[in-house]
Amino acid sequence: MSYDVIIVNYNGEKILERTLESVYASDPRPNAVIVYDNASTDKSCEVIRRAFPQVDLMEGPKNIGFGPGNNAATARAASEFILFMNNDLILDRRCAAELMAALERDPEAAIVNPMIYGGWDLDRRDRIYSFGATINTAGFGYSLTDAGEDRADLSCFSGACLMARTSVMRENPFQPRYFLYYEEPELSVRLMRRGLRVARRGAACCWHYVNYSTKGQSPSGIAFRQYHGVKNRWFMIGRYWPWRLMPWALFANSGHLAYVLAFQLVHRQWKFLPLAWHAPMEWFAGVFRRGGAPRNPGWFRKLTRTPVSLYLALGREVFGLKKKSS
């Protein structure tokens, strides 16, 4: 078994060294580490060239986004597996080995997630950022934060850290239309439609700084994430959603769009208000790109049914807002 590591970086000067140190401390070590730099304006590339000259550094002429950056780096991967990871992660020494073992045991598993803890305190394993993910019938994707058993029946994966088969990623690249956000649900739907599986492996773990490059919990950071995430979700629904679920998906997403626009108005995020018409336009774009019947026509049965009473809480999760303490 062999694997390459792919990291898409944007202005990660202050965190890259620790991330790459954990990569090269892995057992086994990767065959290659490929970093696609999205035209960083800090000294990220200088840090890599100085401290890690063995890294295959791809310096993009402009910021092309998360998915396209990963796709460009995938073209250089030569190993059986690829470990995709954010630039703000610290890997456990045996993380990659456990993920490869999970894929080796299950030929139908295309992607496997480790347990991803929040923060960089390696002594803490009580703050779970995600342990895989799920998609509900309205198209909302959100992280699973339970400490439960390993599974191979997930409807979605977390994009912060995942291992995938190189052959699968060449045939099913990240959606090039997406600049940022919702790459995971869109790709997961394509994999489910093909009859492939998404898994999670608790023996593999890592630590995630969370939202380092997107202004964290600030109103501008939240509005930025929602602008891209919402319109990308509308495209996904238009392109793939079964017609029997379409009325419910459009109803729920229209309500959520109103919620997002209200947030932008309250916080004076004027530049993101065009989302009001960009989201429906993306839905139409998805409908016009609908293809043939999926190999697995019952793929949507894996989608989670979220009670209406929980949609407010789901909206809070999607926004990334912290719950008020009681």
Side-chain angles (χ1 to χ4, degrees):
M1 296 185 293
S2 62
Y3 73 103
D4 294 338
V5 170
I6 289 179
I7 299 172
V8 173
N9 175 68
Y10 179 70
N11 288 347
E13 173 190 355
K14 296 180 180 179
I15 55 175
L16 272 171
E17 283 199 58
R18 194 168 180 190
T19 296
L20 289 169
E21 284 171 359
S22 76
V23 169
Y24 283 109
S26 297
D27 178 22
R29 294 178 67 170
N31 282 353
V33 178
I34 307 165
V35 175
Y36 187 92
D37 185 77
N38 261 324
S40 293
T41 56
D42 64 3
K43 297 180 180 179
S44 292
C45 293
E46 289 87 334
V47 168
I48 294 172
R49 283 193 291 264
R50 171 182 54 79
F52 303 95
Q54 69 272 45
V55 165
D56 182 358
L57 177 60
M58 302 174 65
E59 298 185 57
K62 63 178 182 178
N63 190 346
I64 61 174
F66 176 80
N70 275 313
N71 292 342
T74 297
R76 292 197 184 184
S79 297
E80 183 179 1
F81 303 114
I82 300 174
L83 178 62
F84 294 94
M85 53 185 289
N86 284 8
N87 64 353
D88 54 1
L89 278 172
I90 297 176
L91 296 177
D92 178 76
R93 186 178 65 89
R94 293 290 293 170
C95 181
E98 292 290 346
L99 295 176
M100 283 192 290
L103 290 173
E104 277 288 301
R105 282 196 296 269
D106 187 353
E108 293 184 358
I111 286 175
V112 60
N113 268 142
M115 173 70 78
I116 305 175
Y117 298 109
W120 272 12
D121 184 349
L122 306 193
D123 293 326
R124 292 197 63 175
R125 300 192 180 213
D126 58 330
R127 296 178 295 181
I128 299 175
Y129 170 77
S130 72
F131 189 25
T134 190
I135 311 171
N136 70 13
T137 52
F140 291 85
Y142 51 101
S143 295
L144 297 174
T145 56
D146 65 290
E149 61 187 13
D150 294 355
R151 292 175 55 185
D153 62 343
L154 300 180
S155 60
C156 191
F157 63 91
S158 171
C161 183
L162 64 129
M163 182 167 279
R165 300 182 191 277
T166 304
S167 58
V168 169
M169 295 307 299
R170 293 198 194 283
E171 295 174 6
N172 303 273
F174 288 100
Q175 174 57 251
R177 185 183 184 89
Y178 291 1
F179 176 75
L180 203 61
Y181 298 116
Y182 253 77
E183 300 90 354
E184 304 100 313
E186 195 274 344
L187 177 55
S188 296
V189 167
R190 279 189 278 139
L191 295 176
M192 287 191 292
R193 285 165 57 89
R194 292 189 57 188
L196 297 174
R197 296 207 293 255
V198 174
R200 68 182 192 180
R201 172 78 166 160
C205 67
C206 61
W207 290 262
H208 184 24
Y209 193 95
V210 185
N211 294 331
Y212 177 83
S213 300
T214 54
K215 301 181 181 179
Q217 297 298 110
S218 68
S220 61
I222 293 170
F224 173 83
R225 292 196 297 275
Q226 282 307 302
Y227 174 81
H228 291 284
V230 168
K231 69 183 184 68
N232 290 345
R233 185 173 63 249
W234 280 67
F235 175 82
M236 177 186 73
I237 291 167
R239 186 169 188 181
Y240 303 117
W241 242 236
W243 292 114
R244 73 184 75 177
L245 292 178
M246 193 69 80
W248 164 242
L250 290 176
F251 174 77
N253 278 274
S254 296
H256 182 259
L257 177 60
Y259 178 33
V260 171
L261 294 174
F263 178 91
Q264 294 171 355
L265 285 169
V266 168
H267 293 280
R268 301 181 180 181
Q269 298 299 310
W270 316 123
K271 66 179 180 180
F272 297 112
L273 287 176
L275 181 63
W277 58 88
H278 287 174
M281 287 171 61
E282 286 298 304
W283 181 82
F284 281 110
V287 170
F288 289 140
R289 287 169 172 78
R290 290 179 77 93
R295 297 181 195 174
N296 174 25
W299 67 269
F300 58 89
R301 295 190 181 96
K302 286 189 176 182
L303 300 178
T304 305
R305 295 185 179 276
T306 303
V308 175
S309 60
L310 296 181
Y311 264 84
L312 181 60
L314 174 60
R316 205 175 286 125
E317 285 289 327
V318 172
F319 265 106
L321 296 175
K322 296 180 179 179
K323 295 180 181 179
K324 293 182 180 180
S325 57
S326 56

